Amino acid sequence: MKLIGSLTSPFVRKVRVVLLEKKIECGFEVDSPWTPESNVSNINPLGKIPVLVLDDGAVIFDSRVISEYLDHMAPNNKLIPSPNRERIEVKRWEALADGVCDAAALIFLEKKRTKAKQSAEWIARQKDKIVRGLDYMTQQLGENSWCTGTHFSLADICVGCTLGYLTFRFPEIDWREYPNLARLNDKLMQRPTFAETAPKG
Ligand SMILES: N[C@@H](CCC(=O)N[C@@H](CS)C(=O)NCC(=O)O)C(=O)O
């Protein structure tokens, strides 16, 4: 089995953390769809990372589908609970955290365009999603130890990867002003699975 992705993508990091938490052996091939020599669009029609290639050649994307597949692959360290309501709660955190990353990635890409082509309105629209997303996260987390229930789950992984990506690309977005998100992040960063996968590029 082989994971394909970059060292900067929060979606790839999510899958790398899941693999490490579940102690699943997997190869890793670094490939960024933004480089001209990238092979990603030949295996994922959407041209996005992460992509997981199974030993029989089957291809799995995106990060949500891959994470669910991996969690079911091994019974240890369950990251997505089975009861419907709890499962959907974790998946909603995932949608929220991924949505904040989507908005942040769109700003990053927009800022790569020449100044004349950049839309301040578009950037502001995406920034609003990030701010509302962080507000929602902080409100939902409250004084709880973890995003859902009493255990570490995929929800915490997704939030940790999102906060890490914001720090990496947008250090000016001071999410540490939300003390409960800062507390959760600091706790996550003590896990070797997070420390090992911090974005670099
Ligand atoms: N919903 C997807 C999002 C993946 C995604 O947007 N990946 C970015 C890298 S952070 C990408 O490959 N972008 C290339 C493109 O949009 O062409 C997932 O969860 O895997």
Side-chain angles (χ1 to χ4, degrees), residues 7-8 13 16-17 164 168 189 192-201:
L7 297 170
T8 55
R13 184 181 187 198
R16 291 175 68 206
V17 172
F168 179 61
M189 281 306 289
T193 56
F194 268 86
E196 261 178 53
T197 56
K200 27 177 182 295

Side-chain angles (χ1 to χ4, degrees), residues 1-5 15 19 24-31 39-45 48-62 65-67 69-70 73:
M1 199 163 68
K2 185 173 69 176
L3 176 69
I4 297 168
V15 173
L19 282 165
I24 297 172
E25 290 279 323
C26 185
F28 183 51
E29 185 176 303
V30 176
D31 190 340
N39 188 41
V40 173
S41 56
N42 295 324
I43 51 173
N44 174 359
K48 292 186 179 194
I49 47 170
V51 186
L52 185 71
V53 184
L54 303 187
D55 290 342
D56 64 3
V59 166
I60 306 184
F61 53 86
D62 58 4
V65 182
I66 299 172
S67 299
Y69 174 76
L70 294 173
M73 226 180 112

Side-chain angles (χ1 to χ4, degrees), residues 51-126:
V51 186
L52 185 71
V53 184
L54 303 187
D55 290 342
D56 64 3
V59 166
I60 306 184
F61 53 86
D62 58 4
S63 69
R64 299 182 201 187
V65 182
I66 299 172
S67 299
E68 194 154 345
Y69 174 76
L70 294 173
D71 196 39
H72 279 85
M73 226 180 112
N76 65 317
N77 303 345
K78 263 318 229 174
L79 296 172
I80 307 174
S82 302
N84 196 29
R85 187 65 189 265
E86 290 160 41
R87 178 176 170 276
I88 286 308
E89 217 181 300
V90 168
K91 300 294 286 180
R92 190 182 69 160
W93 271 102
E94 183 173 33
L96 175 62
D98 284 11
V100 169
C101 285
D102 284 333
L106 285 173
I107 296 177
F108 179 70
L109 293 174
E110 186 70 8
K111 288 195 166 166
K112 275 189 160 179
R113 285 153 55 98
T114 58
K115 264 267 179 260
K117 282 190 177 164
Q118 286 178 27
S119 162
E121 207 183 352
W122 175 253
I123 290 173
R125 189 178 173 85
Q126 302 310 321

